[in-house]
Amino acid sequence: MEKSFVSQIADIDGDFAQWYTDVVVKTKLVDYGPVKGTMVIRPYGYAIWENIQNEFNRRFRENGYENAYFPLLIPMSFMTKEAEHVEGFAPEVAVVTHAGGEKLAEPLCVRPTSETIIGTMFGKWVESWRDLPLRMNQWANVMRWEKTTRPFLRTSEFLWQEGHSVFATAEEAEAETLKMLAVYKEFAKTCLAMPVLTGKKTEKEKFAGAVATYGMEAMMHDGKSLQSGTSHYLGQNFSKAFDIKFTDKDGTQKYGYTMSFGVSTRLIGAIIMTHGDNRGLVLPPVVAPVQVVIVPIASKKEGVLENCRALETRLRKAGIRVIVDDSDNSPGWKFNEWEMKGVPVRIELGPRDIEAGKMTVSRRDGYEKTEYALADAETTVAALLREISESLYERAKRRMEERIVSAETLQELLDGVNGGSFVRAGWCGDRACEDKVKEFAQATSRVACKEHTACKCVACGKKAKTTLYFARAY
Amino acid sequence: MEKSFVSQIADIDGDFAQWYTDVVVKTKLVDYGPVKGTMVIRPYGYAIWENIQNEFNRRFRENGYENAYFPLLIPMSFMTKEAEHVEGFAPEVAVVTHAGGEKLAEPLCVRPTSETIIGTMFGKWVESWRDLPLRMNQWANVMRWEKTTRPFLRTSEFLWQEGHSVFATAEEAEAETLKMLAVYKEFAKTCLAMPVLTGKKTEKEKFAGAVATYGMEAMMHDGKSLQSGTSHYLGQNFSKAFDIKFTDKDGTQKYGYTMSFGVSTRLIGAIIMTHGDNRGLVLPPVVAPVQVVIVPIASKKEGVLENCRALETRLRKAGIRVIVDDSDNSPGWKFNEWEMKGVPVRIELGPRDIEAGKMTVSRRDGYEKTEYALADAETTVAALLREISESLYERAKRRMEERIVSAETLQELLDGVNGGSFVRAGWCGDRACEDKVKEFAQATSRVACKEHTACKCVACGKKAKTTLYFARAY
């Protein structure tokens, strides 16, 4: 019985891909949609997304962003106004050709991202320097037709947030690009307990239409990298294409400078593959739908269920997301189920605990059972949730740091990624050398590394311009 | 100067359609999207929607609903599984025929509603009576290609919530249909200060594929009706089409009974047209993005701005959405602007107020300026917001009740709707008579009326089966 759940999940080190599929489906985070490449986000998964949204909404608001909603369908002609942009997105776009029983005069794209349509509206709204900076954020579904898909990581439709802003100067727009990248990094640490590497992407890896893209990359359990968020400095590329002009203080007309940034439901995949283990999910407390599960022991005994309910009420009042599992299943079955579902704290409460004024607590991050006084439950649990978040972060950070290696040759780089590491290596700046790494080691450049300086390009041996992190990536 | 804003808005009784357009655009609730029939929901409008979402999320949760997310694109073949459903929606559907650079093997609909795709997933998830009732809600964008569009009221894309549930018995599903209709009605009263008529729709007006549709109808300023929410009892129509079967306690396989219900961004249009006046918006306090604006008087005088900020902080701590307008505009200009934007409470704070420990308060629902003690600001303002909500509701209710008339002939019915009334009239039950009313009076049946019993059908004079509310409608 104790093994019933665990045995349903493939071994995390034996077959990580199968482990992932088992975990996301069996914990009811997600299911496969009927159209190839689509997903249904089930309540347990969607609740994580809602917690992510709430945490971001507060941060965006503090940074001057207001939420708005822009149309799903974008005229094909808008996409083509920025040459690089259309080249990058056209191959992935889904197109509406018929509507209302008729063929449309112009085909409409289902948004793969909204720079073009938001740019059009910003062009209409921005008139004077007084209108700047202009900052907006949108929570929306977007569509990118992908050949190989996996729930959360790569699906034809996904949910995301996209922030868009306009500034009077290049300096301000560039500073905002880095500021929002920093917001992402802080969020990843505080809310997802996830350490990330942040830095500039190469020309090859940047957003189609950007002057520069900055990304945050996280190391998954198998040593592969997951791009978890990006922030783009767009210069005047979109303001010129969409006529975002303002009258400056000196009375002259100028084009604004724009930037954009986004994270998606991919973050849920990142959480799973950063913290999960052979028992299933391990959810970071800040975004866990259920932070605490109370399991009654000998629940038929007088007063047990009442005491569980009373504790639930107390914890809920303290702002903790808590449930009592009063189902007919055995305690052992419940332990397994909630461990698989990744609930950070489990409290067992039985007649003996109650008599002694105690509760028996287990942490999902692996420590032994501990007894605490029932009287201090609110402060104890709040402190435990913080501790668990910090310990998950430290553990993931240690793992990442231990698995970053340096390489001076392609063979060393290949050995590094084969061993599940991120590899720091020098790069001369030529696209050909980046392509050579991809071919030789099936690894791509993730972000620039500022902490380390390599002398020679790992591919051609010429003088290095930049040091990059290379990795296999999702 | 004082007149500058008001003069931008058409007269509400002279040209209501233009008044509406002026108000939604000039208060920056919304803008027109580049594709015909689409809208951009700007931050001030979107904030109303977020408040509506929060209020509903609490109510849905209390009624056992969990949020989830289902795919945007639905295979055309799903739509055709329920014959009436496809007949009703096919003419309005937008169709994706190409994606990823290729023609799709099967065209995909952009969801006009999600019964078919959610039904498919429910069919997969429901196995036993233990899985029932199953209740889910989704917040999503939907698309219905409309010929005549107006922001919020009728747009090709809109945002909505759709609740879907499955029960073991017809009785439970029918009871849920009425229960969620009651939730809508209570929400309309409490959060939108909007009185509504609720009742069953005729066969002609029901949802395509439903056994029965119940609607809530609200009377707009011009006496026309706005369908503001619907709840559908779907019987086994969708469970049979999508194989939603369960093993009952007796071991036999049975089809479930389903229901669904939805409200949309139309509610924002309903608020505007229920409460607005010649000065612009009048927003119900519960969903107003800004509940209180503090306008500093003689703001350059020492201590004025500081006292405004201190009051803002106090009110914000009390959970009130408040801002200080510290812009360079004159107080008169600010008064007009915030009146146009419909902010429920305005507080003026100048040197004399501060010295006397007072604040000068104006209510957007039309009362004179009143002085209150600054010391009690939190309780005073909270009470005022409640009072304003109640007085808006009472005013709208009185207006609606005064404008409901009865008719025994088609001419009386025509006179009624021409006079901006809802008309109660008997109906024999024949579709032909409903059509005749439409032709003669350009009015449609809204919902059944239970409070009143007519003897004869208003169109044919035969014995009436039902009494209906007829009205012109948006």
Side-chain angles (χ1 to χ4, degrees):
Chain A
M1 195 72 169
E2 283 273 335
K3 278 268 164 194
S4 64
F5 277 100
V6 177
S7 61
Q8 292 172 14
I9 303 174
D11 184 71
I12 193 168
D13 295 307
D15 187 347
F16 188 56
Q18 188 59 47
W19 173 90
Y20 181 80
T21 304
D22 288 347
V23 165
V24 294
V25 171
K26 285 178 180 156
T27 58
K28 298 189 181 175
L29 288 175
V30 78
D31 203 346
Y32 296 93
V35 175
K36 197 178 164 296
T38 62
M39 64 175 164
V40 174
I41 308 178
R42 301 184 74 170
Y44 198 59
Y46 198 77
I48 298 176
W49 185 238
E50 288 181 313
N51 291 333
I52 289 174
Q53 289 185 301
N54 289 335
E55 288 290 338
F56 269 127
N57 271 332
R58 187 164 54 73
R59 287 169 172 79
F60 293 158
R61 209 162 36 236
E62 285 167 6
N63 282 283
Y65 285 83
E66 295 186 293
N67 287 337
Y69 185 77
F70 295 84
L72 173 73
L73 298 183
I74 302 176
M76 197 58 104
S77 59
F78 283 32
M79 296 294 291
T80 58
K81 284 189 184 178
E82 213 292 330
E84 272 189 27
H85 191 66
V86 69
E87 203 186 314
F89 283 103
E92 294 183 350
V93 146
V95 187
V96 172
T97 55
H98 293 71
E102 289 171 8
K103 190 173 185 215
L104 297 172
E106 181 184 2
L108 301 170
C109 302
V110 181
R111 64 180 159 227
T113 180
S114 302
E115 276 74 10
T116 60
I117 195 151
I118 294 181
T120 303
M121 300 312 296
F122 280 5
K124 199 173 159 186
W125 295 336
V126 171
E127 293 177 351
S128 138
W129 61 271
R130 284 185 193 83
D131 300 323
L132 300 181
L134 177 62
R135 293 181 177 96
M136 279 191 200
N137 177 63
Q138 145 165 298
W139 293 96
N141 53 342
V142 284
M143 190 156 292
R144 298 178 187 176
W145 217 255
E146 303 273 5
K147 293 219 164 52
T148 320
T149 58
R150 298 180 71 188
F152 297 124
L153 302 180
R154 198 175 292 276
T155 47
S156 57
E157 182 189 6
F158 54 91
L159 303 183
W160 82 342
Q161 91 23 244
E162 46 181 325
H164 296 265
S165 57
V166 191
F167 297 85
T169 66
E171 293 68 37
E172 288 170 279
E174 283 182 304
E176 185 85 355
T177 310
L178 293 173
K179 189 170 83 173
M180 297 319 292
L181 184 73
V183 168
Y184 280 165
K185 187 171 184 167
E186 179 274 324
F187 169 88
K189 178 178 178 179
T190 311
C191 302
L192 309 185
M194 189 170 81
V196 293
L197 298 174
T198 55
K200 196 172 173 177
K201 297 242 162 202
T202 61
E203 282 296 302
K204 183 183 175 184
E205 298 290 333
K206 79 172 189 197
F207 177 76
V211 172
T213 287
Y214 298 81
M216 75 172 177
E217 300 281 325
M219 183 185 277
M220 302 297 100
H221 181 86
D222 59 353
K224 284 168 76 174
S225 188
L226 185 79
Q227 178 175 299
S228 316
T230 45
S231 188
H232 315 293
Y233 170 57
L234 305 172
Q236 295 187 318
N237 293 352
F238 286 85
S239 62
K240 285 184 174 162
F242 296 96
D243 212 34
I244 309 174
K245 272 192 298 212
F246 67 99
T247 307
D248 207 349
K249 289 176 188 173
D250 63 8
T252 63
Q253 287 263 306
K254 293 177 184 168
Y255 286 107
Y257 293 82
T258 70
M259 59 78 67
S260 65
F261 54 100
V263 297
S264 74
T265 35
R266 242 192 167 200
L267 286 178
I268 301 175
I271 293 169
I272 299 165
M273 296 200 299
T274 298
H275 302 298
D277 63 20
N278 263 329
R279 288 168 179 270
L281 294 174
V282 178
L283 294 180
V286 177
V287 298
V290 178
Q291 296 175 311
V292 178
V293 60
I294 302 172
V295 177
I297 305 296
S299 62
K300 298 259 154 54
K301 288 258 171 80
E302 204 191 315
V304 170
L305 219 48
E306 290 76 0
N307 273 279
C308 288
R309 292 265 170 245
L311 179 58
E312 181 190 30
T313 305
R314 282 173 55 196
L315 294 177
R316 189 161 293 156
K317 268 197 193 149
I320 293 162
R321 295 187 290 273
V322 55
I323 58 164
V324 174
D325 184 350
D326 58 359
S327 67
D328 291 337
N329 298 315
S330 71
W333 202 95
K334 291 177 188 178
F335 295 173
N336 278 325
E337 177 166 29
W338 295 109
E339 278 175 5
M340 183 173 78
K341 294 200 113 182
V343 171
V345 169
R346 181 180 78 221
I347 299 178
E348 295 160 49
L349 208 57
R352 255 174 286 172
D353 300 291
I354 294 162
E355 209 182 336
K358 304 267 187 192
M359 55 184 190
T360 305
V361 176
S362 302
R363 293 168 55 156
R364 184 60 181 87
D365 58 345
Y367 293 16
E368 291 304 301
K369 286 186 186 188
T370 312
E371 287 192 346
Y372 293 96
L374 257 175
D376 311 325
E378 294 91 339
T379 46
T380 302
V381 170
L384 278 172
L385 291 172
R386 276 195 305 275
E387 268 178 44
I388 292 170
S389 189
E390 285 162 18
S391 97
L392 287 177
Y393 177 77
E394 290 305 328
R395 187 162 74 186
K397 188 156 179 272
R398 215 161 38 241
R399 188 187 63 203
M400 185 173 79
E401 284 170 353
E402 282 167 9
R403 290 164 80 176
I404 295 176
V405 298
S406 298
E408 301 205 342
T409 66
L410 284 175
Q411 187 58 48
E412 282 176 20
L413 195 156
L414 176 63
D415 292 345
V417 295
N418 276 343
S421 289
F422 284 7
V423 179
R424 274 187 301 237
W427 177 54
C428 63
D430 278 358
R431 169 72 182 256
C433 286
E434 215 178 336
D435 290 341
K436 203 185 278 180
V437 171
K438 176 85 186 277
E439 204 192 314
F440 191 85
Q442 301 81 53
T444 49
S445 80
R446 306 315 305 160
V447 291
C449 166
K450 279 179 298 196
E451 303 77 34
H452 187 86
T453 313
C455 301
K456 292 193 304 181
C457 174
V458 71
C460 69
K462 288 189 196 147
K463 193 172 171 347
K465 271 193 184 151
T466 324
T467 304
L468 296 175
Y469 287 104
F470 289 93
R472 298 212 174 116
Y474 280 94
Chain B
M1 194 70 166
E2 284 273 335
K3 277 268 165 197
S4 64
F5 276 100
V6 176
S7 62
Q8 292 172 14
I9 302 175
D11 184 70
I12 192 168
D13 295 308
D15 186 348
F16 188 57
Q18 188 61 47
W19 172 89
Y20 181 81
T21 303
D22 288 348
V23 165
V24 294
V25 171
K26 285 176 179 157
T27 58
K28 299 189 181 174
L29 288 175
V30 78
D31 203 346
Y32 296 93
V35 175
K36 197 179 163 296
T38 62
M39 63 175 165
V40 174
I41 308 178
R42 300 183 73 170
Y44 198 59
Y46 198 77
I48 298 176
W49 185 239
E50 288 181 313
N51 291 333
I52 288 174
Q53 289 185 301
N54 288 337
E55 288 289 338
F56 269 127
N57 272 332
R58 186 164 54 73
R59 287 169 173 79
F60 293 158
R61 207 162 38 235
E62 284 166 6
N63 282 284
Y65 285 83
E66 295 186 294
N67 287 336
Y69 186 77
F70 295 83
L72 173 74
L73 298 183
I74 303 177
M76 196 59 103
S77 58
F78 283 31
M79 295 294 290
T80 58
K81 283 191 186 176
E82 212 293 331
E84 272 190 26
H85 191 67
V86 69
E87 203 187 314
F89 283 103
E92 294 183 351
V93 147
V95 187
V96 172
T97 55
H98 293 71
E102 290 173 8
K103 189 170 185 218
L104 296 172
E106 182 184 2
L108 301 171
C109 301
V110 182
R111 65 180 158 225
T113 180
S114 302
E115 276 74 9
T116 59
I117 195 150
I118 294 181
T120 303
M121 300 312 295
F122 280 4
K124 198 173 158 187
W125 296 335
V126 171
E127 292 177 352
S128 137
W129 61 272
R130 285 187 193 83
D131 301 323
L132 300 181
L134 177 62
R135 294 183 178 94
M136 281 192 199
N137 177 65
Q138 144 164 300
W139 294 96
N141 53 342
V142 285
M143 189 155 293
R144 297 178 188 176
W145 217 256
E146 303 273 6
K147 292 219 163 53
T148 322
T149 57
R150 297 180 71 188
F152 297 124
L153 302 179
R154 197 174 293 276
T155 47
S156 58
E157 182 189 7
F158 54 91
L159 304 183
W160 81 343
Q161 92 19 245
E162 47 182 322
H164 296 263
S165 57
V166 192
F167 297 85
T169 66
E171 293 67 37
E172 288 170 278
E174 284 183 305
E176 186 85 354
T177 310
L178 293 173
K179 188 170 84 174
M180 297 319 292
L181 184 73
V183 168
Y184 280 166
K185 187 171 185 168
E186 178 276 323
F187 169 88
K189 179 178 179 178
T190 312
C191 302
L192 309 185
M194 188 170 81
V196 293
L197 298 173
T198 55
K200 196 172 173 178
K201 297 242 163 204
T202 61
E203 281 296 300
K204 184 183 175 184
E205 298 291 333
K206 78 173 189 195
F207 177 77
V211 172
T213 288
Y214 298 82
M216 74 171 176
E217 300 282 324
M219 183 186 276
M220 302 295 100
H221 181 87
D222 59 353
K224 283 167 77 174
S225 188
L226 185 79
Q227 178 174 300
S228 315
T230 44
S231 188
H232 315 293
Y233 170 58
L234 305 172
Q236 293 187 318
N237 293 351
F238 287 85
S239 63
K240 285 185 174 164
F242 295 97
D243 212 35
I244 310 174
K245 271 192 299 210
F246 67 99
T247 307
D248 207 349
K249 289 176 188 173
D250 61 8
T252 63
Q253 287 262 306
K254 294 176 184 169
Y255 286 107
Y257 293 81
T258 69
M259 59 78 66
S260 65
F261 55 99
V263 297
S264 73
T265 35
R266 246 195 161 195
L267 287 178
I268 301 175
I271 293 169
I272 299 165
M273 297 201 298
T274 298
H275 302 299
D277 63 20
N278 264 327
R279 288 168 180 271
L281 294 175
V282 178
L283 294 180
V286 177
V287 298
V290 179
Q291 296 174 310
V292 178
V293 59
I294 303 172
V295 177
I297 305 298
S299 61
K300 300 258 152 54
K301 289 258 171 77
E302 203 190 316
V304 170
L305 219 49
E306 289 77 359
N307 272 281
C308 288
R309 291 263 171 247
L311 179 59
E312 182 191 30
T313 304
R314 282 173 55 195
L315 294 177
R316 189 161 292 156
K317 267 195 195 152
I320 293 161
R321 295 186 290 272
V322 56
I323 58 164
V324 174
D325 183 351
D326 58 359
S327 66
D328 290 338
N329 299 315
S330 72
W333 202 94
K334 291 176 188 179
F335 294 174
N336 280 324
E337 178 167 29
W338 295 109
E339 278 175 4
M340 184 173 79
K341 294 200 116 183
V343 172
V345 169
R346 180 180 80 220
I347 299 177
E348 295 161 48
L349 208 56
R352 255 175 286 172
D353 299 291
I354 294 162
E355 208 183 335
K358 303 269 187 190
M359 56 184 187
T360 305
V361 176
S362 301
R363 292 169 57 155
R364 183 61 182 87
D365 58 346
Y367 293 18
E368 293 303 301
K369 287 187 186 186
T370 312
E371 287 190 344
Y372 293 97
L374 259 175
D376 311 325
E378 293 91 338
T379 47
T380 302
V381 170
L384 278 173
L385 291 172
R386 274 195 306 275
E387 268 177 44
I388 291 170
S389 189
E390 285 162 17
S391 98
L392 287 177
Y393 177 77
E394 290 304 328
R395 187 162 76 186
K397 186 155 180 273
R398 216 161 37 241
R399 188 188 64 203
M400 185 172 79
E401 284 170 353
E402 283 166 9
R403 290 164 81 176
I404 294 176
V405 298
S406 298
E408 301 205 343
T409 65
L410 284 174
Q411 186 58 47
E412 283 175 19
L413 195 156
L414 176 62
D415 293 344
V417 295
N418 276 343
S421 289
F422 285 7
V423 179
R424 274 187 300 238
W427 177 54
C428 64
D430 277 2
R431 168 72 182 257
C433 286
E434 215 179 335
D435 290 342
K436 203 185 277 180
V437 171
K438 176 85 184 278
E439 204 192 315
F440 191 85
Q442 300 82 53
T444 49
S445 79
R446 306 315 304 161
V447 291
C449 165
K450 279 179 297 194
E451 303 78 33
H452 186 88
T453 314
C455 300
K456 293 193 304 182
C457 174
V458 72
C460 70
K462 287 187 197 149
K463 193 173 172 347
K465 272 195 187 152
T466 325
T467 305
L468 296 175
Y469 287 103
F470 289 93
R472 297 209 175 117
Y474 280 93

Short mmCIF file of all heavy atoms in Angstrom, two decimals, chain A residues 130-150:
data_model
loop_
_atom_site.label_atom_id
_atom_site.label_comp_id
_atom_site.label_asym_id
_atom_site.label_seq_id
_atom_site.Cartn_x
_atom_site.Cartn_y
_atom_site.Cartn_z
N ARG A 130 4.75 63.79 -22.04
CA ARG A 130 3.98 63.60 -20.80
C ARG A 130 3.36 62.21 -20.72
O ARG A 130 3.02 61.74 -19.65
CB ARG A 130 2.87 64.65 -20.70
CG ARG A 130 3.34 66.02 -20.31
CD ARG A 130 2.16 66.97 -20.11
NE ARG A 130 2.62 68.34 -20.03
CZ ARG A 130 2.86 69.10 -21.09
NH1 ARG A 130 2.67 68.62 -22.32
NH2 ARG A 130 3.29 70.34 -20.93
N ASP A 131 3.16 61.58 -21.88
CA ASP A 131 2.56 60.23 -21.89
C ASP A 131 3.58 59.14 -21.57
O ASP A 131 3.22 57.96 -21.49
CB ASP A 131 1.94 59.94 -23.27
CG ASP A 131 0.86 60.95 -23.64
OD1 ASP A 131 0.12 61.36 -22.72
OD2 ASP A 131 0.77 61.32 -24.82
N LEU A 132 4.84 59.54 -21.44
CA LEU A 132 5.90 58.56 -21.22
C LEU A 132 6.46 58.66 -19.81
O LEU A 132 6.44 59.73 -19.24
CB LEU A 132 7.02 58.78 -22.24
CG LEU A 132 6.59 58.65 -23.71
CD1 LEU A 132 7.77 58.86 -24.63
CD2 LEU A 132 5.93 57.31 -23.97
N PRO A 133 7.01 57.58 -19.26
CA PRO A 133 6.95 56.24 -19.82
C PRO A 133 5.53 55.66 -19.78
O PRO A 133 4.74 56.00 -18.91
CB PRO A 133 7.88 55.43 -18.91
CG PRO A 133 7.92 56.19 -17.63
CD PRO A 133 7.74 57.63 -17.99
N LEU A 134 5.26 54.79 -20.72
CA LEU A 134 3.97 54.10 -20.77
C LEU A 134 4.25 52.62 -20.53
O LEU A 134 5.07 52.02 -21.23
CB LEU A 134 3.34 54.30 -22.15
CG LEU A 134 2.02 53.57 -22.42
CD1 LEU A 134 0.93 54.04 -21.46
CD2 LEU A 134 1.58 53.79 -23.87
N ARG A 135 3.58 52.07 -19.51
CA ARG A 135 3.86 50.67 -19.14
C ARG A 135 2.55 49.89 -19.03
O ARG A 135 1.65 50.29 -18.30
CB ARG A 135 4.55 50.60 -17.78
CG ARG A 135 5.96 51.18 -17.72
CD ARG A 135 6.49 51.00 -16.30
NE ARG A 135 7.87 51.44 -16.15
CZ ARG A 135 8.22 52.64 -15.70
NH1 ARG A 135 7.29 53.53 -15.36
NH2 ARG A 135 9.50 52.96 -15.58
N MET A 136 2.47 48.79 -19.74
CA MET A 136 1.28 47.93 -19.62
C MET A 136 1.67 46.46 -19.60
O MET A 136 2.70 46.08 -20.14
CB MET A 136 0.33 48.17 -20.78
CG MET A 136 -0.51 49.40 -20.56
SD MET A 136 -1.85 49.56 -21.72
CE MET A 136 -2.13 51.32 -21.51
N ASN A 137 0.81 45.69 -18.97
CA ASN A 137 1.02 44.24 -18.91
C ASN A 137 -0.27 43.55 -19.31
O ASN A 137 -1.36 44.03 -19.04
CB ASN A 137 1.39 43.81 -17.50
CG ASN A 137 1.54 42.31 -17.39
OD1 ASN A 137 2.40 41.71 -18.03
ND2 ASN A 137 0.67 41.66 -16.63
N GLN A 138 -0.14 42.42 -19.95
CA GLN A 138 -1.32 41.64 -20.34
C GLN A 138 -1.11 40.18 -19.95
O GLN A 138 -0.05 39.61 -20.19
CB GLN A 138 -1.53 41.79 -21.84
CG GLN A 138 -2.07 40.58 -22.57
CD GLN A 138 -2.59 40.90 -23.96
OE1 GLN A 138 -3.52 41.67 -24.13
NE2 GLN A 138 -1.97 40.34 -24.97
N TRP A 139 -2.15 39.58 -19.36
CA TRP A 139 -2.20 38.13 -19.13
C TRP A 139 -3.04 37.56 -20.26
O TRP A 139 -4.19 37.98 -20.45
CB TRP A 139 -2.84 37.81 -17.79
CG TRP A 139 -2.03 38.26 -16.62
CD1 TRP A 139 -2.17 39.42 -15.92
CD2 TRP A 139 -0.92 37.56 -16.02
NE1 TRP A 139 -1.24 39.49 -14.91
CE2 TRP A 139 -0.46 38.37 -14.95
CE3 TRP A 139 -0.28 36.36 -16.28
CZ2 TRP A 139 0.63 37.99 -14.14
CZ3 TRP A 139 0.79 35.98 -15.47
CH2 TRP A 139 1.23 36.78 -14.42
N ALA A 140 -2.52 36.61 -21.01
CA ALA A 140 -3.25 36.16 -22.19
C ALA A 140 -2.80 34.77 -22.62
O ALA A 140 -1.79 34.25 -22.17
CB ALA A 140 -3.02 37.13 -23.33
N ASN A 141 -3.59 34.20 -23.51
CA ASN A 141 -3.18 32.98 -24.20
C ASN A 141 -2.49 33.37 -25.50
O ASN A 141 -2.89 34.33 -26.16
CB ASN A 141 -4.40 32.08 -24.47
CG ASN A 141 -5.53 32.80 -25.20
OD1 ASN A 141 -5.58 34.03 -25.22
ND2 ASN A 141 -6.45 32.05 -25.77
N VAL A 142 -1.45 32.63 -25.85
CA VAL A 142 -0.77 32.85 -27.12
C VAL A 142 -0.57 31.50 -27.81
O VAL A 142 -0.67 30.45 -27.16
CB VAL A 142 0.59 33.55 -26.96
CG1 VAL A 142 0.43 35.03 -26.69
CG2 VAL A 142 1.42 32.91 -25.89
N MET A 143 -0.30 31.55 -29.09
CA MET A 143 -0.21 30.31 -29.86
C MET A 143 1.01 30.30 -30.76
O MET A 143 1.25 31.24 -31.51
CB MET A 143 -1.48 30.16 -30.68
CG MET A 143 -1.57 28.80 -31.31
SD MET A 143 -3.26 28.36 -31.69
CE MET A 143 -3.95 28.17 -30.07
N ARG A 144 1.80 29.23 -30.62
CA ARG A 144 2.96 29.02 -31.50
C ARG A 144 2.95 27.56 -31.90
O ARG A 144 3.07 26.68 -31.04
CB ARG A 144 4.26 29.38 -30.77
CG ARG A 144 4.30 30.84 -30.36
CD ARG A 144 5.57 31.20 -29.60
NE ARG A 144 5.47 32.57 -29.09
CZ ARG A 144 6.39 33.15 -28.32
NH1 ARG A 144 7.47 32.48 -27.96
NH2 ARG A 144 6.22 34.39 -27.89
N TRP A 145 2.76 27.31 -33.18
CA TRP A 145 2.60 25.95 -33.65
C TRP A 145 3.92 25.21 -33.60
O TRP A 145 4.83 25.51 -34.36
CB TRP A 145 2.04 25.96 -35.07
CG TRP A 145 1.08 24.84 -35.26
CD1 TRP A 145 1.30 23.68 -35.94
CD2 TRP A 145 -0.27 24.77 -34.75
NE1 TRP A 145 0.19 22.89 -35.89
CE2 TRP A 145 -0.79 23.53 -35.16
CE3 TRP A 145 -1.07 25.61 -33.98
CZ2 TRP A 145 -2.09 23.12 -34.84
CZ3 TRP A 145 -2.35 25.21 -33.66
CH2 TRP A 145 -2.84 23.98 -34.08
N GLU A 146 4.03 24.27 -32.68
CA GLU A 146 5.30 23.58 -32.46
C GLU A 146 5.18 22.14 -32.92
O GLU A 146 4.13 21.53 -32.80
CB GLU A 146 5.63 23.58 -30.95
CG GLU A 146 5.71 24.96 -30.32
CD GLU A 146 7.08 25.60 -30.45
OE1 GLU A 146 7.95 24.99 -31.13
OE2 GLU A 146 7.27 26.69 -29.91
N LYS A 147 6.28 21.60 -33.38
CA LYS A 147 6.26 20.20 -33.85
C LYS A 147 6.33 19.22 -32.69
O LYS A 147 5.58 18.27 -32.62
CB LYS A 147 7.42 19.96 -34.83
CG LYS A 147 7.23 20.75 -36.13
CD LYS A 147 7.67 19.96 -37.35
CE LYS A 147 7.12 20.59 -38.63
NZ LYS A 147 7.40 22.05 -38.76
N THR A 148 7.28 19.46 -31.77
CA THR A 148 7.42 18.56 -30.63
C THR A 148 6.92 19.29 -29.39
O THR A 148 7.38 20.39 -29.09
CB THR A 148 8.90 18.19 -30.42
OG1 THR A 148 9.49 17.99 -31.70
CG2 THR A 148 9.03 16.94 -29.59
N THR A 149 5.97 18.68 -28.71
CA THR A 149 5.37 19.39 -27.58
C THR A 149 5.40 18.54 -26.32
O THR A 149 5.42 17.31 -26.38
CB THR A 149 3.91 19.77 -27.90
OG1 THR A 149 3.19 18.57 -28.21
CG2 THR A 149 3.82 20.72 -29.09
N ARG A 150 5.42 19.22 -25.17
CA ARG A 150 5.29 18.57 -23.86
C ARG A 150 4.56 19.52 -22.94
O ARG A 150 4.83 20.71 -22.95
CB ARG A 150 6.68 18.25 -23.28
CG ARG A 150 7.45 17.28 -24.15
CD ARG A 150 8.79 17.00 -23.56
NE ARG A 150 8.66 16.19 -22.36
CZ ARG A 150 9.67 15.92 -21.56
NH1 ARG A 150 10.87 16.40 -21.80
NH2 ARG A 150 9.49 15.16 -20.49
#
